[in-house]
Each structure stands twice: as C-alpha cells, then as structure tokens.
Amino acid sequence: MNKTDANTRQGSYKSNTINTQDSRMRRHEVTIELRKSKKEDQMFKRRNINDEDLTSPLKELNGQSPVQLSVDEIVAAMNSEDQERQFMGMQSARKMLSRERNPPIDLMIGHGIVPICIRFLQNTSNTMLQFEAAWALTNIASGTSDQTRCVIEHNAVPHFVALLQSNSINLAEQAVWALGNIAGDGAAARDIVIQHNVIDGILPLINNETPLSFLRNIVWLMSNLCRNKNPSPPFEQVTRLLPVLSQLLLSQDIQVLADACWALSYVTDDDNHKIQAVVDSDAVPRLVKLLQMDEPSIIVPALRSVGNIVTGTDVQTDVVIAAGGLPRLGLLLQHNKSNIVKEAAWTVSNITAGNQKQIQAVIEAGIFQQLRNVLEKGDFKAQKEAAWAVTNTTTSGTPEQIVDLIEKFKILKPFIDLLDAKDPRTIKVVQTGLSNLFALAEKLGGTENLCLMVEEMGGLDKLETLQQHENEEVYKKAYAIIDTYFSNGDDEAEQELAPQEVNGALEFNATQPKAPEGGYTF
C-alpha cells in the first residue's frame, strides 16, 4: 500500500471528497492503460514509404522503382560535384530508406549520409534535391531515439523550420513531417523543435486554402508539440496553439479532428490553469459534440479531453455539463468498445466526485441506470471505474441522492458483487462505499435494515471471506465493517430482524415503520 492510498480522503479534491494526489495518480493510470491497450491511439512517428500514397507530397510516375546502387555507390554519387549524380544518389538513398520493411537506417547513418542530406536541405537553387533530402531525413527521424538524435545533433531542426517558408508546398509539407517525427521522439526533442520557433513557422500555414494532406500533417505536428511530460512543453508556447486547435474541432476531416483532440487531451492532462486555457478557447462544446461521432478514433481523444477537464474545478466541470456532456456520456456507457465505456465511466466518476448539484445532474441524466448495467455485465476495467462513480457519490452526495442509489437505481447488489474482484484496489473502493453507506444508515436509524440487505445480497459472506485476504488493508476494512455493524446482536435479535411475510411479500424489519412503496428507505 502506498502513502497516497493511506491518506485517501484526508486531502481535498472537489468538495473535500477525494485526495487530489490520489485522483491525479488514478487519472494517470487510466491514461496509461488506455494508451497501452489500443492501437487506435495517435501515431507519434510516421514514415513516408510510398510515392503514390495520398499523404506523400511527391507523386512520381514510376512509383517505387527498385534501388540499383549499393550504399557505397549512393554515398559516392551524393558526394559528387555533378548535380545530376548528386540527385540520383540522393533519390536512391531516399528510396532505400523508404522501404516498407527493414530500411537500413543505421547502415546509412554509418556511411555519413545525414550531414550530406542536411547540406542538401540548404541548397535553395535545387528544390527537388532539397525535397529528396528532407524525405530521407524524415524517414531516419521516424526510427529509434538514437536515429532521431543523429538528425537533431547534425542541426537539422533550424533548417527544417526555415523550409516551412518555402515557396514549394511539397517541400514545406515534408519539413512539417520531419519536424513532427522529431518532436514525437520525446520531451527533449520536442523542446528543441519549439525553441527553434516552429510555432511561428506553422501558424501562418493554416488557412482556408491549405491542402488537406498538408493540414493533416500540420495538426499532427501540433499534437506532438503538446505531447509528453517530465517536463511538459513550455505553456506560453503551447497556449498559442489553442485557438487554432479549438477552431480545427469544426473540421469535417476525421484525421484532423482526431489529432486536434489528441493535442487538447495532452494539454488538459495537467493542472487547472492549463485546463482553463482550453476552456477559454471555447473548445469544450465542440469536444462534447464530437462525443456523438460514430468514429472511435475521434471519440477516444475527445472523451479523454472531456474526462481530463472534469478533474479540474467545479466551475470547469460545470462547463462540460452545460455543454450537454452528461447525456452523451450516458450513451458512451453503452458503447460496444470496452475502452470507451471504461473512459466514460472514469469521466462520470470524476463528476460524481464534485458537488451535490453535479451529482444531481448525473442522476437526472439517467446515468446511474447505465452505471448499474456496467457494474452488472461490463468489462472489469469499466466496472472498476463505475465503482468509483458510486463510491464518490456515497462520499459527496446528499442523503436523498445516496438512498436513490439503493432504492431507485438498485446499485447495491452489483456493487457488492465486486467484492469478489481479484484487484485489491477495486475491493477497497467498494469497501469504502459500503462504509459510507453504513455511516449514513447509522445517522438515519437504518443500520439494521441495511445489514439485512447486505446480508441478503451475499455481502456479509463476501466480507467474511475478505477477512482472509492477503492484502492487509482489505482484510482490515472487511473486519472493521463486520465488527462495527454485524457483530453486536444475538440470535434473538437476529430473529426479530428476519424478514416477515406481509401480504405474500417479504418485508425487512417489519417492526419498523413501513418503507415507502417502491423500495427501501433508511
């Protein structure tokens, strides 16, 4: 057990319900799991492998003709004084590096072609030579970090940034692609690209006349400029991208939308100040609208952005609710992709960690019916997030809201069933929720009724089993609940509390005033 878990609920997080650090840690875990589990995530590096590909700026008539020269012959040609031989060698090197399988990047680096390519980048009298050199360097930078570092260390970045202003749109686009690969390598490489004023270079390139393939590459580069932590990118630079990214959320192109959403998901995965900058860009209503798209590659980053925003302040969460976020989250809880259901449940759990008005909005949107379905038959990771949503409600909600969980939404049985989970953290979440329910029942004089309900649903048996659990906190919590609420009566008292048959139906604690029609009330 870590220190964060030990201090759970001692700190302050959105109306004093969840430890802030714990919530941040959980958000990070969810993000990492999603990133690892799905291939539909954004690509951080891209290699230009096909002349005929629509995303390739160069359209040659002869396609990818086989490379006839050896590496030594290629390098000799590139070092020639004859311009035609230079171009032939450069193009041959590029084609070799554009092989779909096993391009000989290290071999080419070892033969010293990187500084030659960078020299060609500066040959403003030969645009085609510049282009071939840029393409070759793009593919070298698409490789490992060591390969990318070789391009950086030979000072390619300022030359690529200069090429953003080229009169050749193909050359400018290839420079964008190369810079995207370099920035995608990690925080250090990203910051080198930013320090060379790349944002000044790309912002003027975006207008109504920008060709779609070019725009896609620019937005992908922008997303890589926002990505990575330790350290995060300099925010005074990133914030310059936000108005453009927000406007791009109105695009009709799937790839542009997806990369713009990814960029905003990276920015919002940080402190409230950065979340507020995204809110101020008017991105939230646009992100919420994208949640209804029938396209997982857009839903995933849009949902992650919205989920990050509701980890912020109550006011920031209210912006998502006001934009109609809750009904869309309710629909996503029914999505056929389990990772989307999981992240939707995680987002709801952060809203139920808010204030009572926000919890009421969740109730009125009918989301607890969907959460019950997730608890009953969802993927386990989604069930875990749904359990957090319930426990947060038992912590933050009014007595009426909490009673609704049991009485109106019938949450208790599937919630208790998660005590059988293999994951100790999930068990502890459920135990915390149960402890909160018992604390409320005690205040309302309904402890005996709740004990009977929990026992009837198999909860007492599960808690007793958990007293043998290998996790110390799990068994201590199980013991505490049993000792506090289930161990102070004798057989005679239990007999009195047994359900009585009234008009052919079982009624709990018949000696107490009758519960309202429709269910149990504490």
Side-chain angles (χ1 to χ4, degrees):
M1 176 185 129
N2 60 38
K3 290 180 181 177
T4 306
D5 288 335
N7 293 323
T8 298
R9 316 227 185 295
Q10 298 301 309
S12 160
Y13 171 70
K14 296 184 73 170
S15 90
N16 299 318
T17 59
I18 301 288
N19 181 287
T20 307
Q21 186 182 355
D22 188 43
S23 175
R24 294 286 174 189
M25 182 186 72
R26 230 171 63 72
R27 183 171 84 188
H28 179 69
E29 287 173 357
V30 170
T31 304
I32 293 299
E33 284 177 13
L34 253 143
R35 235 167 242 164
K36 284 181 177 174
S37 67
K38 280 292 161 186
K39 297 293 184 188
E40 64 200 8
D41 263 24
Q42 188 198 35
M43 290 174 62
F44 302 143
K45 292 191 177 183
R46 296 171 176 167
R47 193 156 57 90
N48 194 348
I49 58 172
N50 190 343
D51 295 351
E52 296 299 314
D53 193 312
L54 289 175
T55 62
S56 168
L58 183 66
K59 310 293 188 291
E60 289 180 341
L61 294 176
N62 63 345
Q64 283 289 71
S65 55
V67 177
Q68 303 296 334
L69 304 177
S70 70
V71 176
D72 286 331
E73 290 170 332
I74 287 172
V75 174
M78 290 172 73
N79 281 317
S80 166
E81 295 297 319
D82 180 84
Q83 289 190 10
E84 285 188 15
R85 284 201 72 211
Q86 274 185 0
F87 182 80
M88 178 193 67
M90 183 66 257
Q91 190 175 65
S92 297
R94 184 269 297 169
K95 288 186 177 184
M96 190 174 283
L97 288 164
S98 299
R99 284 182 193 163
E100 194 157 358
R101 297 188 180 200
N102 304 317
I105 296 177
D106 285 332
L107 179 65
M108 301 294 265
I109 289 173
H111 276 74
I113 76 153
V114 171
I116 303 173
C117 288
I118 290 168
R119 190 173 79 243
F120 288 169
L121 280 185
Q122 302 167 69
N123 187 344
T124 54
S125 63
N126 191 337
T127 301
M128 290 305 295
L129 183 67
Q130 285 179 297
F131 179 85
E132 291 287 347
W135 189 339
L137 290 169
T138 296
N139 286 355
I140 292 172
S142 74
T144 66
S145 288
D146 284 343
Q147 291 163 349
T148 306
R149 192 178 303 115
C150 178
V151 174
I152 295 170
E153 288 175 351
H154 280 91
N155 207 33
V157 173
H159 299 301
F160 278 127
V161 172
L163 289 175
L164 296 176
Q165 299 176 48
S166 170
N167 291 327
S168 164
I169 196 165
N170 284 347
L171 183 53
E173 180 172 354
Q174 195 62 54
V176 166
W177 196 330
L179 290 165
N181 278 344
I182 294 168
D185 190 65
R190 173 207 66 205
D191 287 348
I192 290 170
V193 173
I194 291 174
Q195 286 158 13
H196 282 93
N197 300 319
V198 69
I199 294 174
D200 287 333
I202 59 176
L203 287 178
L205 299 177
I206 302 175
N207 55 59
N208 292 334
E209 307 302 316
T210 308
L212 181 57
S213 71
F214 195 8
L215 182 63
R216 286 171 172 171
N217 273 322
I218 294 168
V219 180
W220 171 68
L221 166 57
M222 291 168 72
S223 72
N224 274 352
L225 295 176
C226 296
R227 195 172 69 87
N228 279 312
K229 292 188 164 188
N230 304 317
S232 296
F235 191 62
E236 69 277 4
Q237 293 296 325
V238 168
T239 192
R240 300 171 60 201
L241 301 175
L242 296 182
V244 179
L245 289 168
S246 178
Q247 194 65 26
L248 287 166
L249 296 179
L250 301 174
S251 169
Q252 300 299 308
D253 182 70
I254 289 173
Q255 195 172 321
V256 168
L257 286 169
D259 283 334
C261 288
W262 279 119
L264 292 171
S265 78
Y266 303 139
V267 177
T268 52
D269 187 21
D270 213 310
D271 61 39
N272 294 349
H273 167 65
K274 295 178 183 178
I275 290 174
Q276 189 58 44
V278 172
V279 171
D280 291 341
S281 74
D282 293 327
V284 174
R286 297 164 188 175
L287 287 166
V288 167
K289 190 174 180 182
L290 291 174
L291 296 180
Q292 65 192 21
M293 296 278 288
D294 186 25
E295 179 55 59
S297 66
I298 295 171
I299 292 172
V300 169
L303 179 55
R304 188 164 310 163
S305 299
V306 170
N308 287 344
I309 290 165
V310 300
T311 65
T313 66
D314 281 355
V315 174
Q316 290 165 346
T317 300
D318 284 337
V319 175
V320 171
I321 295 174
L326 288 172
R328 289 177 174 86
L329 288 169
L331 291 173
L332 293 180
L333 287 169
Q334 305 168 60
H335 203 276
N336 58 8
K337 286 190 171 289
S338 61
N339 68 310
I340 289 176
V341 176
K342 170 194 171 177
E343 185 132 342
W346 169 70
T347 302
V348 170
S349 77
N350 280 316
I351 298 174
T352 62
N355 59 45
Q356 293 167 351
K357 184 179 175 185
Q358 290 166 346
I359 290 173
Q360 190 60 34
V362 173
I363 290 173
E364 290 172 2
I367 283 178
F368 279 103
Q369 286 96 324
Q370 305 308 328
L371 287 175
R372 185 187 68 226
N373 292 338
V374 173
L375 287 169
E376 286 175 343
K377 52 196 178 196
D379 176 82
F380 173 68
K381 289 179 180 178
Q383 289 178 318
K384 180 168 71 173
E385 298 305 325
W388 269 103
V390 172
T391 293
N392 286 346
T393 304
T394 67
T395 307
S396 310
T398 65
E400 293 77 15
Q401 290 169 339
I402 297 169
V403 169
D404 270 354
L405 292 182
I406 297 173
E407 189 177 85
K408 185 176 179 182
F409 302 116
K410 315 295 183 191
I411 287 280
L412 193 56
K413 176 67 166 68
F415 186 61
I416 285 174
D417 286 346
L418 279 182
L419 290 173
D420 288 333
K422 298 283 189 281
D423 174 39
R425 289 178 296 181
T426 302
I427 296 170
K428 287 186 279 186
V429 170
V430 177
Q431 288 175 319
T432 299
L434 279 177
S435 296
N436 292 341
L437 289 174
F438 274 113
L440 177 62
E442 200 166 28
K443 288 180 186 174
L444 301 179
T447 305
E448 294 86 353
N449 284 7
L450 183 59
C451 284
L452 282 166
M453 292 185 77
V454 170
E455 187 168 0
E456 284 287 316
M457 293 172 178
L460 179 57
D461 289 342
K462 296 181 198 303
L463 287 167
E464 287 175 342
T465 301
L466 290 176
Q467 288 185 109
Q468 314 302 319
H469 199 278
E470 61 187 9
N471 183 286
E472 182 181 4
E473 193 174 357
V474 167
Y475 76 68
K476 282 184 174 179
K477 283 190 172 200
Y479 174 81
I481 294 172
I482 292 172
D483 186 56
T484 306
Y485 301 108
F486 290 94
S487 301
N488 56 356
D490 53 27
D491 290 344
E492 187 178 332
E494 288 179 10
Q495 188 61 40
E496 286 179 17
L497 290 170
Q500 307 295 315
E501 189 171 312
V502 179
N503 296 328
L506 287 180
E507 182 175 285
F508 294 112
N509 201 1
T511 60
Q512 296 292 321
K514 291 185 69 173
E517 187 175 346
Y520 164 77
T521 303
F522 286 144

